[in-house]
Amino acid sequence: SRRMITAVLARQFWAILKKDVLLEYSYRLQFVLNLAGVFLELAMFFFLAKLVKMPASMEQYGGNYFAFLAVGLAFGQYQWISLHTFAQSLREQQVMGTLEMIFASPMRPETLIVGSSLWTYLFETIVIVLNLGMAALFFGLDLSNANLLSALAVIVMTILAMSAFGVLSAAFIVVFKRGDPVTWVFATVSGLLGGIYYPIEVLPPFLKSLSALLPITHALKAIRLAVLKGYPVQRLSTELIVLGVFAVFLLPVSLFAFRRAVNIARRDGTLSQY
């Protein structure tokens, strides 16, 4: 029955999440070092922002380059983990020699690939909140206008939209082991056109049109307007709809590609190779 299937999936997701939490807890020093690194990075960009003349296009975000950059860099982490977490989880299972055993169990490949990302996204959300908190406490980032409901809506839609690229990346890793074109192309193009470091309005018209094809562009615009200007969900409807379209079309395709990749690796006997 549907209720039984839901209960089984919930237990499987909980087991994966519990394993990842225990693993992360065993590396507490790494978490402290990461926060120290974030603080130093924020300090560097705080002083760098003093040298940058604000273009008129930044007025829609409040006209503060450090605020623009701090939110963009923090939220841009969702793209990084979306591209890396699925493939990294598979690689860890391959190195530990447990991937074949997991796929030999009743657990579906899609359950593993989705479940392996739960703790990563949760942990990264905590880190992003701490990042913005440090920026506000030590460098004067104004978060008084932040709309938490809008920010949560943007986060959920961003994760759904960007996860598709990470699952495709994992599919390439399963089959080819190394040499993942999805991560390389998407990360490079997004860094240039996504608006992480500068508003896309400064781009030439042709590149600005291309940037509209990237989910990170719409995600960053929405989160900056939600956090820095306090926009309600209704005023972010265009960006949220675009992210929803990415998710609806790309997630099923990426999950199908991953399932096919696992079947190919099983047939060739290369599932545990890395």
Side-chain angles (χ1 to χ4, degrees):
S1 67
R2 181 176 299 179
R3 181 177 297 179
M4 184 178 297
I5 294 173
T6 302
V8 170
L9 284 175
R11 286 198 299 270
Q12 291 175 340
F13 283 141
W14 173 248
I16 296 172
L17 179 61
K18 184 178 179 181
K19 172 187 72 71
D20 291 338
V21 170
L22 292 174
L23 183 63
E24 188 67 38
Y25 184 74
S26 65
Y27 296 101
R28 283 163 286 180
L29 179 59
Q30 182 64 35
F31 177 71
V32 174
L33 294 176
N34 285 342
L35 282 184
V38 167
F39 178 82
L40 295 176
E41 185 180 60
L42 286 171
M44 179 180 67
F45 285 117
F46 175 75
F47 294 115
L48 177 64
K50 293 180 176 295
L51 302 175
V52 177
K53 183 179 180 181
M54 296 176 294
S57 58
M58 288 182 59
E59 288 301 323
Q60 64 176 318
Y61 305 112
N64 186 307
Y65 181 61
F66 175 71
F68 176 92
L69 195 56
V71 174
L73 289 171
F75 198 72
Q77 287 295 104
Y78 280 119
Q79 174 180 275
W80 190 91
I81 60 175
S82 294
L83 290 174
H84 291 87
T85 187
F86 302 104
Q88 182 178 344
S89 175
L90 285 178
R91 179 56 55 87
E92 289 175 354
Q93 300 296 338
Q94 287 175 328
V95 171
M96 291 187 294
T98 57
L99 188 61
E100 283 187 308
M101 289 186 290
I102 291 176
F103 282 147
S105 70
M107 184 180 295
R108 294 166 58 90
E110 300 93 324
T111 303
L112 172 67
I113 200 67
V114 173
S116 65
S117 68
L118 294 177
W119 168 245
T120 305
Y121 280 117
L122 177 60
F123 180 76
E124 194 60 40
T125 300
I126 296 172
V127 172
I128 288 173
V129 171
L130 292 176
N131 288 357
L132 295 178
M134 286 193 293
L137 182 62
F138 297 105
F139 302 106
L141 176 63
D142 185 6
L143 299 176
S144 59
N145 295 321
N147 188 314
L148 297 182
L149 180 61
S150 296
L152 180 61
V154 175
I155 288 172
V156 171
M157 295 308 299
T158 299
I159 290 174
L160 292 175
M162 292 186 180
S163 292
F165 296 94
V167 175
L168 283 175
S169 171
F172 272 94
I173 293 297
V174 169
V175 176
F176 299 105
K177 313 309 174 187
R178 294 190 181 184
D180 169 25
V182 175
T183 297
W184 186 85
V185 171
F186 191 71
T188 302
V189 174
S190 295
L192 175 65
L193 305 179
I196 296 176
Y197 302 100
Y198 41 78
I200 62 170
E201 286 79 9
V202 304
L203 295 171
F206 173 69
L207 293 181
K208 185 178 177 181
S209 299
L210 289 180
S211 71
L213 302 177
L214 300 172
I216 187 67
T217 303
H218 305 279
L220 287 176
K221 179 179 180 181
I223 197 64
R224 282 174 173 135
L225 292 175
V227 172
L228 300 178
K229 300 290 286 185
Y231 275 32
V233 173
Q234 295 87 340
R235 294 189 66 180
L236 301 175
S237 58
T238 300
E239 287 73 28
L240 292 175
I241 289 173
V242 171
L243 292 173
V245 170
F246 275 110
V248 167
F249 282 97
L250 293 180
L251 263 180
V253 172
S254 64
L255 290 171
F256 173 78
F258 180 74
R259 194 183 312 120
R260 290 284 297 166
V262 170
N263 290 336
I264 291 172
R266 278 173 171 165
R267 184 192 63 200
D268 297 340
T270 61
L271 193 58
S272 61
Q273 295 179 7
Y274 57 92

